[in-house]
Amino acid sequence: MPATRLGKAAMRELLVGLKAMGAAPERSSSGGPSIRMTEYLGSDEKVTLRRSGDGMEIVGSGRGLLYGVFHLLRHLALGEEYPEWESSPAYPIRILDHWDNSDGSIERGYAGLSFFFQDGKPVCNERTKDYARLMASCGLNGCCINNVNVRGNALKLLGGSYKRELKRLASCLSEYGVSLWLSVSFSAPMELGGLDTADPLDEGVKQWWKETCLHLFTAIPNLAGFLVKADSEGRPGPHSYQRTQAEGANMLADAVRPFGGKILWRCFVYNCTQDWRDLKTDRARAQYDHFAGLDGQFRDNVYLQIKNGPVDFQIREPVSPLLGRLEHTSSMIEFQIAQEYTGQQRHVCYLIPMFREILDFRHRVRPEKDRTADRISAICAVSNTGNDYNWTGHDLAAANLFGFGLLSWDPSADPAEIARQWSILTFGDDPEVTETVTDILLRSRDVYEKYTAPLGIGWMCVPETHYGPSPDGFEYDRWGTYHRATHREIGVERGPEGTGYTEQYSPELAELYRNIESCPEELLLFFHRLPYDYRMKDGRTLLQRIYDDHFEGYEEAKAMADSWDKLEGKLDEETFRRVQVRFLEQVRSAAEWRDVINTWLHRLTLIPDEKGRTIYP
Ligand code: GCW
């Protein structure tokens, strides 16, 4: 019988889960198949599931037991046999970053308000507990509860004003092995401590952080560390004091070290006040330019948190070259399941195949252990949860949360199998439902890509909201996200003759991307500036390919919606309708994207669609 808090949680979940599946489990053995839990002391996450007699044995530390129980329940719910499983997670840090504000809003949140903050304070209630269970059931072990843009009352989290609330929250999370992380502001010594500087080399500043950490970490034993957005989009950082990113991160790393704390330092540092006439600055280069030269200068409790692509969570970007560059610094990949640029949980867009591709990507720097998955030491995603009844706004968006959890445990997990399992666990095992849902999920990324910005160019969405089409919306703005389309050409040249971004990759990859012929077509307009009559491999012109994609993307979105409609009567009515309403919006929006992008290009180029379809709505 498990003795620790985590072990007991595992036992509780097993009983709850079995009962929910219609079994009538008993705590002691009184004949019949048995599930035995053998707990050893320790905090490792390893788990062993083995068949014994006509039952099962689960062996692990409290944590291991918890993950083992959820694995077992999953397999039983899938109608499979008792699984044999010996596993430990690929990364010790597997977290969700929440962009929740202390006023209860969520930056880029599409599933209602925050469940971490109410009335300016952190809260802990039944939902927090369910959240912790949800996290553990997907294999995740940490969450950062507040927005990286630290504002308002959230600033005070560090100062100890909400110590009692945080302690309760942390304790509730820890029951399910979920650690608490906090986003902090680099200039907290000024904002909270009344100092006149936040210079990381200033003795007073160092002392302030040390004392602050002593108070906070002593009060909240389950606090794992801090997440920091510095020198990024107006946030304060070491650059204000002519210090490097390493000097800034290390000062914080020293302050949290006595408590086993870690610093997750974001690499999203770029010039966000670019003039569109400036042809030299290329935002795609920024992360690498700022961090590559600092490799090896960071303390070992610093993790560089790197967005999966060089720009910002677009539907198609190359893998960030910084992920292939760091050899002596721990790195952490940052995905986003919040779908900020991928349909905002109103469109279905299953991102797990894309994440898997990125994790599998070979950087061609060394012969072995060269994939992104091998090079990183930690993994996170910007969360897609909120206070909505179904947690994720769009019911199908929950597949991204589940899938992200499974991939972060095992980066070689199969996205199609994850989709299938998720469908059965969510909607039951009617084969028609499983087939339809899995098919929709697996097609959804390509469909979304087709009707939105073409071939890796990104950013044709409405500024501010980042939803819906506006091909010139970002063009004369300060964010460095230009397509520079004229009536002749479109795209930014990122080869050596252009911004030189391609040269940030290993020689082999630089060569691949530099040459238009070898550059993967889906990324053609990310890397190259091309005339509209450029011939694609299948003989179509670039422009015709874009027209076709937009017509097809809309048709395919409609086909997904139609296949959902056929599930009427096979799912519970409320869920069916909720998703149906989202599909109506997706199809409407896909038509808008198709018409706006095609019309814009038609007017720019005056080249008609070869198939003579109506371009003006
Ligand atoms: O893309 C931008 C988002 C911001 C976000 C920022 C970041 C939290 O539009 O809302 O700020 O990325 O990742 O820091």
Side-chain angles (χ1 to χ4, degrees):
M1 201 58 84
T4 63
R5 226 169 141 230
L6 283 163
K8 286 184 178 143
M11 175 60 89
R12 217 170 32 243
E13 289 302 322
L14 180 65
L15 295 175
V16 169
L18 290 175
K19 274 190 196 141
M21 285 185 262
E26 286 170 34
R27 268 176 180 273
S28 55
S29 52
S30 52
S34 71
I35 298 175
R36 192 144 51 92
M37 285 194 194
T38 308
E39 181 179 30
Y40 57 74
L41 289 183
S43 58
D44 68 83
E45 299 185 299
K46 189 168 167 240
V47 46
T48 307
L49 258 63
R50 51 175 104 89
R51 289 188 206 123
S52 93
D54 56 356
M56 284 288 307
E57 186 182 12
I58 311 177
V59 185
S61 69
R63 269 171 201 275
L65 292 183
L66 196 57
Y67 298 126
V69 161
F70 283 121
H71 187 83
L72 172 63
L73 289 174
R74 199 155 62 231
H75 282 266
L76 296 180
L78 289 168
E80 289 166 9
E81 293 202 347
Y82 283 154
E84 294 257 344
W85 196 47
E86 188 157 346
S87 185
S88 16
Y91 312 108
I93 302 177
R94 308 178 300 283
I95 69 180
L96 286 186
D97 288 350
H98 294 261
W99 288 352
D100 293 22
N101 298 314
S102 54
D103 65 4
S105 61
I106 303 180
E107 182 157 346
R108 312 304 174 188
Y110 312 107
L113 293 174
S114 170
F115 50 78
F116 286 123
F117 294 95
Q118 261 169 32
D119 306 321
K121 291 188 198 164
V123 284
C124 177
N125 51 32
E126 276 305 300
R127 194 161 179 96
T128 327
K129 192 170 164 192
D130 283 341
Y131 169 80
R133 299 172 62 215
L134 177 65
M135 293 286 278
S137 73
C138 303
L140 294 165
N141 70 358
C143 64
C144 183
I145 59 167
N146 64 311
N147 189 356
V148 285
N149 294 323
V150 189
R151 299 189 202 96
N153 272 3
L155 281 165
K156 298 191 205 152
L157 293 172
L158 185 63
S161 309
Y162 303 114
K163 244 190 256 174
R164 215 161 23 100
E165 287 85 352
L166 282 181
K167 192 174 170 183
R168 264 191 74 204
L169 178 61
S171 162
C172 172
L173 296 172
S174 71
E175 200 166 341
Y176 286 87
V178 179
S179 325
L180 175 72
W181 298 77
L182 292 177
S183 293
V184 298
S185 163
F186 193 77
S187 53
M190 297 163 81
E191 291 145 350
L192 284 177
L195 305 192
D196 57 6
T197 177
D199 181 350
L201 300 195
D202 180 276
E203 287 308 319
V205 169
K206 289 189 199 169
Q207 198 49 33
W208 186 87
W209 277 106
K210 283 191 175 146
E211 280 165 21
T212 302
C213 288
L214 175 66
H215 290 134
L216 203 65
F217 281 85
T218 318
I220 308 165
N222 187 34
L223 182 61
F226 299 145
L227 170 61
V228 193
K229 172 176 178 178
D231 290 313
S232 168
E233 300 187 330
R235 304 303 304 159
H239 283 172
S240 313
Y241 308 95
Q242 288 73 53
R243 310 297 183 198
T244 67
Q245 296 291 303
E247 285 167 323
N250 290 344
M251 182 272 295
L252 292 179
D254 292 341
V256 300
R257 179 181 298 281
F259 319 100
K262 298 185 171 60
I263 298 297
L264 312 177
W265 188 266
R266 291 179 96 223
C267 296
F268 190 53
V269 178
Y270 71 99
N271 172 7
C272 69
T273 55
Q274 190 179 335
D275 187 308
W276 60 273
R277 281 158 292 217
D278 166 5
L279 298 176
K280 293 226 168 63
T281 308
D282 177 9
R283 174 166 165 185
R285 296 187 55 112
Q287 299 193 36
Y288 185 98
D289 284 346
H290 283 292
F291 286 91
L294 298 175
D295 189 18
Q297 294 184 28
F298 292 89
R299 300 274 193 272
D300 61 5
N301 56 337
V302 174
Y303 292 72
L304 291 187
Q305 184 168 309
I306 305 169
K307 288 193 180 185
N308 62 260
V311 189
D312 197 6
F313 302 138
Q314 301 301 295
I315 186 68
R316 181 75 69 172
E317 287 186 50
V319 178
S320 172
L322 187 56
L323 287 162
R325 172 64 167 74
L326 300 173
E327 295 290 343
H328 311 287
T329 305
S330 300
S331 59
M332 171 175 204
I333 196 165
E334 179 177 356
F335 290 118
Q336 192 194 51
I337 52 176
Q339 290 182 247
E340 175 182 356
Y341 297 97
T342 52
Q344 302 193 349
Q345 295 159 238
R346 280 183 261 181
H347 299 215
V348 52
C349 190
Y350 178 59
L351 295 164
I352 306 308
M354 165 164 136
F355 296 173
R356 172 70 201 273
E357 264 165 46
I358 294 166
L359 290 165
D360 273 350
F361 182 79
R362 281 194 51 230
H363 292 263
R364 309 200 197 173
V365 175
R366 50 194 190 206
E368 281 177 355
K369 301 255 167 234
D370 182 49
R371 297 171 316 142
T372 303
D374 308 318
R375 303 183 66 95
I376 55 175
S377 322
I379 186 162
C380 71
V382 179
S383 182
N384 60 358
T385 55
N387 233 344
D388 275 1
Y389 169 72
N390 63 359
W391 295 88
T392 53
H394 201 312
D395 288 74
L396 301 189
N400 283 328
L401 174 49
F402 177 73
F404 169 69
L406 264 58
L407 263 194
S408 65
W409 183 285
D410 173 9
S412 66
D414 174 10
E417 176 58 14
I418 293 176
R420 186 190 73 87
Q421 290 192 6
W422 180 82
S423 176
I424 296 175
L425 296 172
T426 309
F427 299 120
D429 62 0
D430 177 329
E432 194 190 327
V433 175
T434 312
E435 207 176 294
T436 305
V437 172
T438 309
D439 183 60
I440 288 175
L441 289 174
L442 292 176
R443 280 197 288 153
S444 59
R445 180 218 186 175
D446 287 350
V447 174
Y448 185 81
E449 182 178 30
K450 276 186 174 177
Y451 61 73
T452 56
L455 304 167
I457 209 155
W459 297 103
M460 289 185 170
C461 56
V462 176
E464 300 279 335
T465 64
H466 300 175
Y467 187 79
S470 176
D472 275 333
F474 273 94
E475 202 50 20
Y476 305 96
D477 215 326
R478 63 191 179 96
W479 301 98
T481 51
Y482 312 115
H483 53 65
R484 302 193 185 282
T486 64
H487 64 291
R488 289 207 187 89
E489 295 171 322
I490 183 168
V492 171
E493 181 54 44
R494 293 197 159 105
E497 254 97 272
T499 71
Y501 166 79
T502 51
E503 309 311 293
Q504 293 183 337
Y505 289 92
S506 61
E508 214 180 305
L509 286 176
E511 166 93 16
L512 180 89
Y513 292 138
R514 193 188 295 141
N515 295 314
I516 300 177
E517 293 72 35
S518 55
C519 181
E521 285 203 328
E522 68 273 13
L523 283 166
L524 209 49
L525 291 178
F526 185 93
F527 283 105
H528 296 289
R529 179 167 182 77
L530 291 168
Y532 297 103
D533 60 0
Y534 172 82
R535 288 280 159 193
M536 305 293 287
K537 295 204 171 70
D538 63 8
R540 285 182 288 176
T541 64
L542 172 68
L543 184 67
Q544 191 56 40
R545 161 74 189 266
I546 299 175
Y547 285 154
D548 288 350
D549 275 3
H550 284 76
F551 284 113
E552 282 166 25
Y554 165 76
E555 292 301 333
E556 288 167 17
K558 213 164 144 301
M560 291 197 303
D562 290 345
S563 52
W564 180 264
D565 283 347
K566 297 211 182 82
L567 298 184
E568 184 161 16
K570 290 184 165 275
L571 305 171
D572 87 85
E573 178 71 12
E574 231 176 280
T575 313
F576 172 77
R577 293 273 169 238
R578 239 187 349 251
V579 174
Q580 192 180 44
V581 168
R582 302 258 158 177
F583 267 123
L584 283 178
E585 166 55 15
Q586 178 166 5
V587 171
R588 184 209 61 77
S589 176
E592 188 188 1
W593 270 100
R594 174 200 63 193
D595 293 338
V596 171
I597 300 295
N598 282 353
T599 303
W600 172 74
L601 282 169
H602 188 203
R603 287 194 58 176
L604 256 184
T605 62
L606 297 178
I607 303 172
D609 169 38
E610 285 168 12
K611 297 183 185 150
R613 289 162 292 196
T614 306
I615 284 193
Y616 306 109

